[in-house]
Amino acid sequence: MAQSMIPNVRKRPTIRDVAREAGVSYATVSRVLNGREWVSPEAVRVVREAIARTGYTANPHARSLATGKSGSIAFLLTEPQHLLFEDPNFSVLLRGVAQALSDRELTLILMIASTPEERTRTIAYLSGGHVDGVLLVSPHSGDPLLSHLVQAEVPIVACGRVLGYEQQISSVMADDRSGGRSAVEHLISVGCRKIATITGPQDTAGGVDRLQGYTEALMAHGLPVDEARIVHGDWGRVSGATAMRQLLEQDPGLDAVFAASDAMAAGALPVLRDAGRDVPGDVRVIGFDDSGLAATLDPPLTTVRHPLDRISDEMVRLLTDVINGRTPLSITVPTSLVIRESSPS
């Protein structure tokens, strides 16, 4: 008799195999796999040990049909694509979120929606139930994307407060106002009195709050808030350079600059150098973020640390709560000042 040519393929372990190995019911294994809360620690332990022994792996398609969940989370950036690679904050946040989702066996989907066409496609995809929730990065007030997602009841957690949607969209944010205030108070403490600022976009909470911190610090010390010393940027390096040129034209005697991002500070430094201004001898400069960029600048940048590692963890944790029906809320994470050569103590 001819030998069979069919290979001996090992049957894929099932939940029932795990239940038999663990000595528990099928329902108990199902509850452990789906992360339900009403399972004893002992049951969780024996089921996980049985999973390891049997080599069981979940079938994502079957789980999606059974639970009504996709197992996928969208990382949605509402800035132009090039900023994902140029702004170190976005890559740091993306890396942290990816790790936090991986720890929970969730799949990350990267989406960018900065143009009307991208927004239309994004709204259709996210409203269609293809993801369980959205991690929203750099939201701008007035963006029509926001109202569509809220109306579609898509679970959302934003990085930063979403202006106009504070009651509907959960958020995790740095204490931007306190961070801006601490930067300016440091400049005042070392003798600066003509302090300018390059702000972030004023349709973002971070841009608004960091400017407010700047203003509060000046007023608290009896210093004027001079409109000639306030120029708006877009977080990017080019806008920082453009704003620095404008500030020097409007107030040549300025002795310090608080830039609301490290990238904008990086754009300002060569402009000051080309204008014959020594940093920190003539003009002190402080940024915001403490990104990897800050320590590599010439001179190394004094900056406010934006704790993106913690923010990414908190965003994922909070989103899982929202997906499970928890009430939206906001979390504020403290900042700290990192002193370097661009504005020493």
Side-chain angles (χ1 to χ4, degrees), residues 93 157-161 171-180 182 209-210 288 304-318 329-337:
L93 192 63
V157 171
C159 180
R161 191 174 81 257
S171 62
V172 182
M173 69 198 87
D175 194 343
D176 293 301
R177 187 172 68 178
S178 176
S182 69
D209 290 348
R210 294 173 198 183
F288 197 114
V304 179
R305 184 169 190 275
H306 194 178
L308 292 172
D309 48 355
R310 181 176 171 189
I311 287 173
S312 60
D313 284 341
E314 293 286 3
M315 286 180 69
V316 173
R317 182 186 66 78
L318 188 54
L329 56 84
S330 295
I331 297 172
T332 301
V333 180
T335 60
S336 57
L337 189 65

Side-chain angles (χ1 to χ4, degrees), residues 25 40 51 69 76-77 88 96-97 115 161 230 232-233 240 287 289 344:
S25 69
S40 70
I51 288 172
K69 294 182 179 179
L76 177 57
L77 178 65
V97 161
T115 67
R161 191 174 81 257
I230 301 173
H232 304 304
D289 291 325

Side-chain angles (χ1 to χ4, degrees), residues 253-317:
L254 61 85
D255 58 12
V257 178
F258 165 51
S261 74
D262 289 351
M264 293 193 296
L269 287 172
V271 172
L272 287 166
R273 188 179 303 116
D274 292 345
R277 308 298 176 88
D278 177 71
V279 177
D282 300 319
V283 179
R284 289 174 177 256
V285 178
I286 295 183
F288 197 114
D289 291 325
D290 195 28
S291 61
L293 173 68
T296 69
L297 296 174
D298 180 23
L301 186 66
T302 293
T303 184
V304 179
R305 184 169 190 275
H306 194 178
L308 292 172
D309 48 355
R310 181 176 171 189
I311 287 173
S312 60
D313 284 341
E314 293 286 3
M315 286 180 69
V316 173
R317 182 186 66 78

Side-chain angles (χ1 to χ4, degrees), residues 63-82:
R63 177 180 289 186
S64 177
L65 289 171
T67 64
K69 294 182 179 179
S70 68
S72 300
I73 301 296
F75 181 97
L76 177 57
L77 178 65
T78 59
E79 300 286 359
Q81 290 186 20
H82 69 88

Side-chain angles (χ1 to χ4, degrees), residues 168-233:
Q168 295 116 307
I169 297 179
S170 294
S171 62
V172 182
M173 69 198 87
D175 194 343
D176 293 301
R177 187 172 68 178
S178 176
R181 189 166 58 242
S182 69
V184 178
E185 286 177 344
H186 167 76
L187 293 170
I188 294 170
S189 73
V190 295
C192 299
R193 293 296 179 269
K194 298 177 181 179
I195 304 169
T197 187
I198 303 171
T199 81
Q202 294 301 288
D203 60 353
T204 66
V208 170
D209 290 348
R210 294 173 198 183
L211 175 58
Q212 186 173 356
Y214 162 86
T215 301
E216 288 178 353
L218 293 179
M219 294 177 66
H221 291 270
L223 297 174
V225 178
D226 188 341
E227 291 297 324
R229 295 176 185 156
I230 301 173
V231 175
H232 304 304

Side-chain angles (χ1 to χ4, degrees), residues 84-237:
L84 177 63
F85 305 100
E86 292 179 9
D87 190 323
N89 290 320
F90 295 139
S91 59
V92 170
L93 192 63
L94 179 60
R95 184 170 64 245
V97 161
Q99 183 59 58
L101 290 174
S102 177
D103 292 344
R104 292 165 171 80
E105 298 184 350
L106 294 169
T107 300
L108 171 68
I109 297 176
L110 173 62
M111 304 188 74
I112 297 176
S114 63
T115 67
E117 295 78 15
E118 288 172 345
R119 291 189 193 98
T120 298
R121 290 193 297 269
T122 297
I123 291 166
Y125 186 84
L126 297 180
S127 301
H130 299 291
V131 300
D132 297 329
V134 175
L135 298 166
L136 180 61
V137 181
S138 196
H140 293 255
S141 63
D143 188 336
L145 180 71
L146 299 172
S147 61
H148 284 287
L149 293 180
V150 169
Q151 290 170 13
E153 298 184 342
V154 178
I156 305 172
V157 171
C159 180
R161 191 174 81 257
V162 185
L163 299 175
Y165 290 90
E166 288 88 348
Q167 303 305 312
Q168 295 116 307
I169 297 179
S170 294
S171 62
V172 182
M173 69 198 87
D175 194 343
D176 293 301
R177 187 172 68 178
S178 176
R181 189 166 58 242
S182 69
V184 178
E185 286 177 344
H186 167 76
L187 293 170
I188 294 170
S189 73
V190 295
C192 299
R193 293 296 179 269
K194 298 177 181 179
I195 304 169
T197 187
I198 303 171
T199 81
Q202 294 301 288
D203 60 353
T204 66
V208 170
D209 290 348
R210 294 173 198 183
L211 175 58
Q212 186 173 356
Y214 162 86
T215 301
E216 288 178 353
L218 293 179
M219 294 177 66
H221 291 270
L223 297 174
V225 178
D226 188 341
E227 291 297 324
R229 295 176 185 156
I230 301 173
V231 175
H232 304 304
D234 65 5
W235 302 127
R237 188 186 290 236

